């Protein structure tokens, strides 16, 4: 799972909630990722969100704080 | 109906529905029937059989054969009972000396132009002409052979009226010499199938049945077989019956091709399947079938079937045949070793939408209970996963809202991204029947599918949109409905979330979403969109049927929600004739989804976060169920390339051929250490497998399939498994090799476990299915006989939820290097990856995938009909031959993906639906150019496949 592809998928989800205000959108993105992403994908996304210039949109990055922490990263 | 050997009562004329009844007397017996019922049917209902030849209860009567005449007190003459409606107080006599004499005279005339070769005739013992001759007591034929149609020579010369047999169709033979001109075949082609391929040439004695101007194979005939089934003689006869003789027993089972789920009578002779005959009482198909279900079952006995388990250390080695015990021990050891090294989540599996509910349930149980994770997915990932997400979000549950009967009450039908005449042919026949009665049709499809214009069917609107612009088109329709005040306010107020509706209505009303503003995007004239939207909103009961042209896009889930929005806004949900109907692809893809095949959902669509739902299984299975969603198929392949996912059990699916971006799939499979393929054949995926477990066909096991209308139909074993084990037994053996200790003795016990754990199936049991024939879930205490129409009193989620559907163009864009858009689909005679149909005579209709290209695009590239062309995208390239047609618009090309030699998916991209990762098969930017033949990649692929399929000779 390349970082580019993960970032692309997260940004696609963010775009789908583009009409919502920031806080609601970030909650919706995080909820979607919690519901559908396996822990290793979430762990990678979280590490992407911690480093700059990884291609994540602002809202996808913002949602990272709300994403459920996987137990085994 | 040739049902004398294996009776399936024929009432002579179709049933009539009426609130009023009439009571008449037939041969002294009182009979009460719905008004409009024929005297013939009334008699049959009373157990009185009136002789007949041209009447059968699948067809409207025409009163032509004159055998069914009766006498009625107070009426003159001898009216035909098939065309005479029963009336109150009527006194009917079906057997009188006068009738007997007349009938014998009629039969005598029929027999005077019929060969008397009954003993050697293929229909011997299964012929209504023969039966009627017996029934009327015909004892002599006084006419000497004069002009006739059956003697090859007459008076020393060739008989000009004799026509030779037409054996062009691979499945049946037309023998004009035996025809009695009852027109049942012609009427079946019109009324049942709706193709109008057959006609009558000439009048009176010269009247002959003809398939247009050519033989059957090259005519418009779609080989559905309705004519063969309707024929009362040997004129249209299955070749299998000609070859093997008449069957001696019948077992009702369910077709294993598409999501229509036709009920079929498997007619057997010993353990040989002679023919499939659609079952009249089948609630999905009502006695009809298509060329696949009726005829294309020969793959089950094909020599390519693998009968023994096989293993190999690495995929560059040849296969080694081993015992079941050795294969399972090898597999269990490898899987456990991978988990010991790389963690519990390093293995997973794919359930099969081709297998039964019971088998699918066991595979996900194996993964959740024995593997200890949620890494389970199914082929719905690549077809209708957006339906799951979209309908669950808007309505609260992920399934079609109607039964197929519902189409009979529809006034307007909107077909989006589906090609029912090819993909779901029996539903298409039922739809066409309704359209001929006057219902209006709107087709939204980039391609001019057959439904747009056919015999006696024409779409009111064909919205030929550019691939990838579904959301823009549907939102423009919503714009028209809202801004022109065509919404159903009462429905919305009572049934839907008010705040969400207000937000949505404001959104769709924005001017930049109007048909005029989006015309440049979609390519559909604004006026057409407005008219179609008005028709959908105001034309009476409006039903939407959709297929993979909706879901297989980067906005697939959004499109499904846009469809749900339209239905809610116009109140077209919750009663017969309306609804949102995904046409599911595989025979049991609905069932595989229901059975917990998704990595985030337990059986019954309960999320793995739901502790209560997990608890149900944890208590029964005595394990802890992971509360983390597992990997979806594309994620599994990505993780395999990364090295964190190393073992995969694939039951009955060929992901290498069916999934997008073939090179990426191959890389993922090649990276794994234990790929287990459980299938009938060494499919393409098996080229990368370490273990091959031979599968059993649907003829070899008991179980259930769930079709697109949520209907559970029984699959019944008609012959023993060729490998010794049914698929559910193999999965059980694998689980037990890994220490599970399962002990199911019969699939009914698995269904009992499903019912005990899954609320929407709580009432389902094999006993119930035996009693009712089939049921539609939810089937529980609230709906003990199932649920034909969903959301009748309210939505499953409570209030229906309108969702805002912003159009986001796909990132797969055309440009100077790749200026054309490729979209893909299926054809009637072949099925998906073709593993089954390519191993039948169906290849007579479609021997290779072809690229459809508009003559303008072909001309600028110097391409002529039948030329080899190179089809290239950013992902890869392949070669195939071109067909020039204006079915596709300029700028759009189209192909099917039935043949591994073509591998259309080497071209498709890695883009996918934002919500579900369903791949974007339907839009790929491509270039087309002349080529000399297969590409290097195709040749390399073929060489690799040949090497990977080597099997070591068995040890001495």
């Amino acid at each position: 799972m390349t970082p580019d592809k993960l970032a692309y998928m997260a940004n696609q989800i963010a775009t789908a909630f583009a009409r919502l205000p920031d806080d609601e959108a970030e909650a919706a993105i995080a909820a979607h990722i919690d519901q559908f992403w396996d822990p290793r994908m979430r762990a990678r996304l979280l590490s992407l969100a911690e480093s700059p210039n990884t291609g994540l949109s602002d809202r996808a990055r913002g949602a990272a704080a709300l994403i459920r922490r996987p137990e085994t990263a | 109906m040739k049902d004398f050997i294996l009776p399936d009562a024929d009432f002579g004329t179709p049933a009539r529905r009426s609130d009023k009844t009439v009571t008449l007397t037939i041969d002294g017996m009182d009979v009460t029937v719905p008004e409009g019922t024929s005297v013939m049917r009334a008699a049959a209902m009373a157990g009185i059989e009136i002789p007949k030849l041209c009447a059968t209860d699948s067809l409207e009567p025409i009163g032509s054969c004159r055998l069914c005449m009766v006498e009625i007190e107070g009426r003159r003459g001898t009216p035909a009972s098939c065309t005479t409606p029963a009336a109150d107080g009527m006194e009917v006599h079906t057997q009188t000396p006068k009738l007997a004499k007349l009938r014998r005279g009629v039969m005598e005339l029929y027999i005077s132009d019929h060969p008397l070769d009954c003993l050697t005739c293929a229909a011997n013992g299964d012929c209504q002409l023969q039966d009627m001759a017996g029934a009327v007591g015909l004892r002599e034929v006084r006419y000497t052979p004069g002009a006739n149609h059956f003697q090859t020579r007459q008076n020393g010369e060739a008989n000009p009226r004799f026509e030779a047999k037409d054996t062009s169709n691979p499945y049946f033979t037309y023998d004009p010499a035996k025809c009695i001109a009852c027109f049942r075949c012609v009427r079946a082609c019109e009324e049942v199938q709706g193709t109008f391929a057959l006609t009558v040439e000439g009048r009176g004695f010269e009247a002959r049945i003809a398939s247009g101007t050519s033989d059957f194979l090259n005519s418009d005939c779609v080989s559905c077989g309705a004519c063969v089934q309707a024929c009362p003689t040997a004129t249209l006869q299955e070749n299998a019956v000609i070859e093997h003789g008449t069957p001696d027993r019948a077992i009702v089972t369910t077709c294993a091709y598409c999501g229509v789920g036709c009920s079929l009578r498997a007619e057997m002779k010993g353990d040989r399947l002679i023919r499939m005959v659609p079952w009249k009482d089948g609630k999905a198909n009502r006695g009809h079938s298509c060329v696949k279900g009726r005829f294309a079952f020969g793959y089950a006995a094909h020599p390519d079937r693998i009968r023994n388990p096989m293993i190999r250390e690495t995929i560059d080695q040849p296969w080694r045949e081993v015992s079941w015990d050795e294969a399972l021990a090898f597999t269990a050891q490898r899987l456990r070793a991978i988990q010991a090294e790389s963690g519990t989540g390093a293995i997973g599996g794919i359930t099969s939408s081709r297998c039964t509910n019971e088998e699918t349930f066991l595979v996900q149980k194996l993964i959740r209970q024995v593997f200890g994770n949620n890494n389970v997915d199914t082929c719905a990932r690549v077809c209708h996963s957006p339906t799951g997400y979209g309908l669950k979000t808007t309505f609260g549950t992920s399934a079609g809202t109607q039964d197929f009967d519902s189409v009979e009450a529809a006034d307007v039908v909107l077909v989006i991204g589906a090609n029912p005449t090819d993909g779901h042919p029996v539903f298409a026949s039922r739809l066409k029947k309704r359209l001929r009665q006057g219902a209006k049709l709107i087709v939204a499809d980039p391609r001019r599918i057959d439904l747009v214009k056919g015999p006696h069917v024409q779409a009111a609107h064909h919205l030929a949109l550019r691939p990838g612009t579904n959301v823009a088109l549907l939102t423009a329709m919503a714009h028209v409905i809202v801004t022109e005040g065509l919404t159903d306010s009462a429905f919305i107020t009572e049934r839907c979330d008010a705040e969400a509706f207000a937000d949505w209505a404001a959104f769709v009303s924005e001017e930049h979403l109007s048909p005029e503003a989006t015309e440049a995007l979609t390519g559909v004239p604004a006026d057409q969109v407005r008219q179609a939207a008005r028709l959908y909103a105001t034309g009476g009961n409006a039903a939407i049927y959709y297929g993979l042209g909706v879901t297989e896009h980067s906005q697939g889930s959004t499109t499904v929600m846009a469809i749900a929005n339209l239905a809610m806004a116009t109140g077209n949900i919750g009663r017969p004739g309306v609804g949102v109907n995904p046409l599911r692809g595989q025979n049991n893809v609905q069932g595989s989804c229901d059975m917990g095949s998704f990595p985030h959902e337990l059986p019954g669509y309960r999320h793995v976060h739901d502790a209560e739902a997990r608890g149900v299984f944890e208590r029964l299975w005595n394990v802890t169920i992971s509360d983390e969603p597992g990997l979806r198929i594309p994620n599994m392949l990505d993780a395999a390339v990364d090295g964190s996912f190393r073992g995969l059990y694939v039951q009955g699916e060929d992901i290498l051929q069916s999934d997008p971006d073939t090179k990426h799939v191959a890389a993922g499979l090649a990276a794994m250490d234990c790929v287990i393929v459980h299938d009938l054949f060494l499919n393409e995926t098996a080229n990368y497998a370490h273990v091959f477990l031979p599968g059993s066909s649907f003829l070899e096991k008991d179980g259930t399939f769930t079709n697109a209308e949520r209907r559970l139909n029984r699959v019944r074993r008609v012959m023993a498994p060729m490998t010794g084990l049914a698929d559910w037994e193999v999965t059980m053996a694998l689980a037990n090799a890994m220490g599970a200790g399962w002990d199911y003795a019969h699939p009914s016990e698995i269904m009992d476990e499903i019912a005990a754990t899954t609320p929407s199936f709580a009432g389902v049991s094999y006993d119930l299915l035996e009693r009712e024939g089939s049921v539609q879930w939810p089937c529980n205490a609230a709906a003990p006989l199932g649920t034909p129409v969903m959301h009748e009193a309210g939505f499953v989620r409570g209030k229906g939820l309108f969702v805002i559907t912003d159009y986001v163009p796909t990132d797969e864009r055309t440009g100077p290097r790749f200026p054309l858009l490729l979209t893909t689909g299926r054809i009637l005679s072949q099925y998906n990856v073709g593993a089954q149909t390519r191993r039948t005579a169906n290849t007579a209709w479609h021997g290779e995938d072809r690229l459809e290209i508009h003559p303008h695009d072909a001309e600028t590239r110097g391409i002529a009909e039948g030329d080899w062309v190179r089809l290239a995208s950013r992902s890869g390239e392949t070669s195939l031959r071109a067909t020039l047609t204006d079915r596709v618009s300029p700028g759009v090309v189209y192909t099917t993906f039935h043949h591994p030699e073509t591998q259309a998916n080497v071209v498709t991209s890695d883009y996918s639906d934002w919500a579900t990762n369903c791949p974007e098969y339907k839009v790929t930017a491509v270039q087309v150019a002349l080529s000399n033949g297969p590409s290097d990649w195709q040749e390399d692929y073929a060489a690799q496949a040949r090497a990977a399929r080597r099997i070591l000779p068995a040890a001495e």
Side-chain angles (χ1 to χ4, degrees), chain A residues 1 5 8-9 12-13 15-17 19 32 34-42 44 68 70, chain B residues 345 507 510 600 607 609 627-632 638 642 644 806 811 910-912 914-915 917:
Chain A
M1 207 144 334
K5 192 163 173 180
Y8 183 86
M9 285 163 55
Q12 258 188 309
I13 295 165
T15 306
F17 297 113
R19 286 259 168 181
H32 188 91
D34 282 348
Q35 276 190 35
F36 297 105
W37 284 28
D38 134 285
R40 79 195 81 174
M41 292 167 67
R42 296 207 311 276
R44 294 234 177 153
R68 180 184 180 197
Chain B
F507 160 73
E510 291 173 15
H600 65 283
H607 201 281
H609 288 171
D627 68 347
E628 282 286 12
L631 292 165
R632 300 169 288 193
D638 290 337
D642 287 352
S644 71
D806 256 325
D811 287 322
D910 197 27
Y911 290 116
S912 66
W914 67 270
N917 274 163

Side-chain angles (χ1 to χ4, degrees), chain B residues 398-477:
Chain B
S398 143
T401 60
Q402 312 296 115
D403 57 6
F404 285 131
D405 284 350
S406 165
V407 76
E408 293 172 11
D411 301 309
V412 178
V413 175
L414 171 54
V415 174
I416 313 175
N419 184 7
T421 54
D422 285 67
H424 301 85
V426 170
F427 166 70
S429 289
R430 301 189 66 181
L431 168 62
K432 287 193 287 187
K433 189 170 196 169
R434 180 64 189 152
L435 294 173
R436 290 196 303 274
Q437 292 166 351
K440 298 281 191 297
L441 174 67
I442 304 164
V443 173
D445 200 294
R447 191 164 161 267
R448 196 182 68 232
I449 58 172
D450 283 351
L451 273 181
V452 171
K453 193 171 188 316
H456 301 274
V457 167
Q458 184 162 7
H461 303 285
H462 175 208
L463 313 177
L465 74 174
R466 271 172 68 80
T469 61
N470 286 330
V471 171
L473 178 74
L474 291 166
T475 307
M477 288 179 71

Side-chain angles (χ1 to χ4, degrees), chain B residues 680-724:
Chain B
L680 300 180
F681 304 106
L682 277 174
N683 60 17
E684 306 306 306
T685 306
N687 297 343
Y688 292 87
H690 307 83
V691 178
F692 186 90
L693 304 175
S696 49
S697 80
F698 75 114
L699 300 169
E700 298 164 19
K701 56 200 183 188
D702 281 301
T704 54
F705 291 155
T706 307
N707 74 356
E709 39 166 19
R710 297 171 276 106
R711 184 182 303 286
L712 283 100
N713 267 314
R714 275 283 270 119
V715 176
R716 292 184 177 85
R717 176 174 148 155
V718 304
M719 58 179 75
M722 256 182 205
T723 64

Side-chain angles (χ1 to χ4, degrees), chain B residues 77 217 274 313 339 381 501 569 645 771 797 888 903 950:
Chain B
L217 187 67
I274 300 290
E313 287 295 323
Q339 286 191 304
R381 176 63 50 210
F501 172 72
F645 188 79
R771 263 198 324 275
R797 76 179 295 280
V888 289
Q903 283 285 16
R950 286 170 300 155

Side-chain angles (χ1 to χ4, degrees), chain B residues 252-398:
Chain B
V252 173
T253 189
T254 304
C255 180
Y257 279 110
C258 79
V260 177
C262 295
S263 295
L264 303 170
R265 288 153 48 91
E267 298 194 352
M268 310 291 298
K269 195 179 182 71
D271 67 351
R272 181 192 291 277
L273 176 56
I274 300 290
R275 66 180 171 193
M276 285 288 197
V277 180
W279 188 40
K280 208 169 11 179
D281 295 327
K283 290 173 187 157
N285 56 320
R286 303 285 177 195
H288 191 37
S289 174
C290 77
V291 62
K292 296 187 286 276
R294 190 191 297 261
F295 292 124
F297 51 78
Y299 69 88
H302 195 277
D304 284 355
R305 280 279 300 267
I306 303 289
R307 292 159 190 251
N308 296 303
M310 304 189 295
I311 58 174
R312 56 185 171 191
E313 287 295 323
T314 55
I315 58 170
D316 55 2
Q317 295 178 346
W319 286 107
R320 194 160 57 83
E321 290 187 346
V322 294
S323 67
W324 280 108
D325 284 346
E326 186 178 348
L328 295 166
F330 176 89
T331 311
Q333 184 274 328
R334 269 213 176 188
L335 291 175
R336 287 303 190 209
I338 290 171
Q339 286 191 304
E341 284 172 26
S342 303
T344 308
I347 62 174
I350 298 177
T351 71
S352 177
S353 299
R354 319 290 295 141
C355 287
T356 63
N357 284 315
E358 293 75 4
E359 287 164 341
T360 305
F361 183 86
L362 283 198
V363 173
Q364 65 89 33
K365 177 174 176 177
L366 168 76
I367 291 158
R368 295 203 156 99
Q369 185 198 29
V370 184
F371 291 6
N373 61 48
N374 286 311
N375 291 329
V376 53
D377 209 354
T378 189
C379 79
R381 176 63 50 210
V382 300
C383 66
H384 269 292
S385 54
T387 293
Y389 180 87
L391 295 186
K392 185 154 191 174
T393 304
T394 49
F395 296 164
T397 193
S398 143

Side-chain angles (χ1 to χ4, degrees), chain B residues 122-142:
Chain B
N124 187 14
D126 190 18
C127 172
Q128 285 190 7
L129 190 67
Q130 195 177 47
D131 293 320
M132 289 305 114
V136 305
L138 183 68
R139 296 292 171 259
E140 60 173 342
V141 177
R142 291 164 295 175

